[in-house]
Amino acid sequence: MISSVVRASLLRRGVGIRAQSTWTQVKMGPPDTILGITEAFKRDTDPRKMNLGVGAYRTDAGSPFVLDSVTQAENQLLHEKLDKEYLPITGLPQFTQAAAQLAYGSSSPVLDRLAITQSISGTGALRIGGAFVQRFCEGTPTVYVPGPSWGNHKAVFGDCGLTVKPYRYYDAKTRGLDLEGMLEDLSNLPRGQIVLLHACAHNPTGVDPTPDQWARIQSVVEENGHVAFFDMAYQGFATGDTDRDAHALRTFVEAGRAPVVLAQSFAKNMGLYGERVGTFSVVGASRDERARLESQLKILVRPMYSNPPVHGARIAARVLTDPELRSLWLSEVKLMADRIIGMRVALRSRLEKLGSSVAWNHITDQIGMFCFTGLTAAQVDRLAQEFHIYLTRDGRVSMAGITSANVDYLADSIHAVTQ
């Protein structure tokens, strides 16, 4: 620091003095993993390059896919020349009602006691949900997430002031579900913890419990008084059937023996990535409890972002409530799911035809957008350096980035690094 005498002299001579920045102590944060993969992919000039890191659907030509049902809904809305007024704090009622019916079932008895708010896609739903359980669950609850889980879960819940810990989920040896480890961990938790469950298409592993396994998981959650916090980012995107993909959520709710909350996203199944459309909901015990829950959701949302954006919610509401558009949308959801399933079959088939010594059945056993290949970090590095194929270093592949034109090249490259 300069002395007051020197400072005064400099000021008399008109010499400006830059004050020390208030933000000098702010350190550079670590780069985002997925962003780093995308940047490396963009720098690569090889025509064979593949980006298998980004979790966004692509057509078989490798292009972003705007659903026809979404385009038609948007055109209808533009023709109607609707206003751009603020939505209520909890969002567009036509959207939240339709979203609740999609998730819980159109004839679900809980719909009239469901507290629901529109959210800033699935991430925003998780943020509202984290704030809700932090404020209203008794004691000091911990959120337990699958090991591994979507990378943002820890950050979102941590920023809500919650402790985040893993429970066993993925078995690296079988590349499948460690059911017994999961059940043991959930049974040994202190009573009344928050258990995060991926409703379908687990990210990043692609490993989902079977209906019988879900029944055992549900029993343990209920017996130990845990709160079931479902994250449903891929309804319809896993199997192509929105009802089938909601099986776990609905069986928990129908039983009514465990508290259930839900974070729901329309980024993947409607391709509304940039529109940020989602919901957060809490199953209440009665209509009176629903009113109290909704009042508190409004109190949480108001200082976060006041109220949600309107355009994407209008699109989703129109698609879900117009019979023709809904039918078209469901066919498009199945088309996306079927293409990814087809790429799984093609990748596994090619690897097996190459005579690989590695068992690749897990490629087709897993489901949804991602495949946990079992590739090591060193093998992933080789794929990038030698074959221009980019994915996360835990071996997660975005199946949506594979096409009929590049699947053989991918298989040949994987075969080369795993021999």
Side-chain angles (χ1 to χ4, degrees):
M1 296 292 291
I2 61 176
S3 70
S4 58
V5 173
V6 174
R7 177 185 293 273
S9 174
L10 290 172
L11 288 172
R12 284 195 299 270
R13 286 183 286 160
V15 179
I17 302 172
R18 182 184 296 275
Q20 183 176 6
S21 171
T22 303
W23 317 119
T24 301
Q25 80 286 2
V26 177
K27 298 179 181 179
M28 177 66 73
D32 181 86
T33 302
I34 302 299
L35 181 61
I37 291 171
T38 300
E39 289 176 345
F41 170 80
K42 288 180 177 178
R43 289 193 300 269
D44 196 323
T45 58
D46 193 285
R48 300 167 298 175
K49 67 181 182 177
M50 297 176 65
N51 185 353
L52 303 180
V54 179
Y57 181 79
R58 296 291 182 262
T59 67
D60 197 48
S63 302
F65 181 43
V66 179
L67 279 65
D68 190 35
S69 55
V70 167
T71 298
Q72 289 188 36
E74 190 166 39
N75 287 338
Q76 290 178 15
L77 293 167
L78 290 172
H79 181 73
E80 293 168 15
K81 298 181 180 179
L82 301 174
D83 62 49
K84 300 294 184 181
E85 292 295 301
Y86 290 125
L87 286 178
I89 295 173
T90 52
L92 186 70
Q94 300 97 309
F95 164 64
T96 54
Q97 291 166 12
Q101 291 177 9
L102 180 71
Y104 294 92
S106 58
S107 60
S108 173
V110 305
L111 292 177
D112 66 348
R113 48 188 171 90
L114 185 75
I116 186 167
T117 181
Q118 186 179 327
S119 63
I120 311 298
S121 201
T123 304
L126 291 165
R127 186 65 176 80
I128 296 168
F132 179 83
V133 298
Q134 191 277 335
R135 184 169 296 185
F136 295 109
C137 283
E138 294 182 0
T140 308
T142 295
V143 177
Y144 289 85
V145 302
S149 194
W150 181 47
N152 217 15
H153 280 144
K154 184 175 182 180
V156 170
F157 292 129
D159 278 359
C160 294
L162 294 162
T163 300
V164 183
K165 295 181 180 179
Y167 59 81
R168 281 176 285 176
Y169 187 86
Y170 178 72
D171 186 334
K173 293 180 180 179
T174 65
R175 294 168 186 163
L177 181 67
D178 181 6
L179 180 65
E180 298 308 319
M182 176 182 182
L183 296 177
E184 181 179 6
D185 283 357
L186 297 184
S187 296
N188 291 336
L189 299 181
R191 190 171 182 83
Q193 299 305 296
I194 315 300
V195 177
L196 184 109
L197 301 165
H198 295 233
C200 62
H202 182 274
N203 179 5
T205 70
V207 174
D208 282 1
T210 65
D212 288 342
Q213 290 171 333
W214 270 120
R216 295 182 63 188
I217 294 166
Q218 181 177 337
S219 293
V220 170
V221 170
E222 292 170 347
E223 289 166 5
N224 289 274
H226 300 321
V227 175
F229 193 135
F230 279 96
D231 184 359
M232 188 157 66
Y234 297 94
Q235 187 181 3
F237 209 91
T239 65
D241 185 327
T242 55
D243 291 323
R244 183 177 173 186
D245 288 353
H247 166 80
L249 169 70
R250 293 179 186 178
T251 55
F252 269 74
V253 171
E254 288 164 8
R257 292 187 291 269
V260 172
V261 301
L262 169 68
Q264 178 185 24
S265 170
F266 288 86
K268 305 296 193 300
N269 60 11
M270 278 195 187
L272 296 174
Y273 303 98
E275 298 291 355
R276 314 308 293 147
V277 183
T279 74
F280 174 72
S281 54
V282 186
V283 178
S286 64
R287 290 186 180 185
D288 176 68
E289 184 167 279
R290 168 188 174 175
R292 289 184 280 111
L293 292 169
E294 284 188 343
S295 73
Q296 293 297 335
L297 289 177
K298 291 175 183 178
I299 290 170
L300 287 171
V301 167
R302 178 63 170 154
M304 279 190 194
Y305 53 84
S306 193
N307 47 17
V310 66
H311 187 65
R314 282 175 172 164
I315 294 172
R318 184 62 58 93
V319 170
L320 291 173
T321 58
D322 181 287
E324 290 185 6
L325 290 180
R326 184 185 180 94
S327 178
L328 175 59
W329 170 65
L330 290 172
S331 71
E332 291 179 303
V333 170
K334 190 173 189 310
L335 179 148
M336 291 189 288
D338 286 350
R339 195 188 86 72
I340 288 177
I341 292 169
M343 287 300 98
R344 289 182 179 277
V345 172
L347 179 60
R348 175 184 173 181
S349 176
R350 176 69 175 181
L351 283 164
E352 291 176 346
K353 285 180 180 178
L354 291 169
S356 175
S357 59
V358 179
W360 295 106
N361 58 290
H362 60 283
I363 294 176
T364 52
D365 291 343
Q366 295 170 12
I367 198 166
M369 182 171 284
F370 300 108
C371 174
F372 230 40
T373 60
L375 295 171
T376 66
Q379 290 167 339
V380 170
D381 290 343
R382 280 193 63 195
L383 283 176
Q385 295 161 8
E386 299 177 30
F387 301 97
H388 313 277
I389 297 170
Y390 298 89
L391 55 145
T392 54
R393 297 187 80 238
D394 58 6
R396 188 196 79 166
V397 163
S398 174
M399 297 302 299
I402 305 174
T403 70
S404 55
N406 63 27
V407 65
D408 285 354
Y409 176 68
L410 173 62
D412 295 351
S413 304
I414 291 175
H415 181 60
V417 302
T418 54
Q419 283 184 313

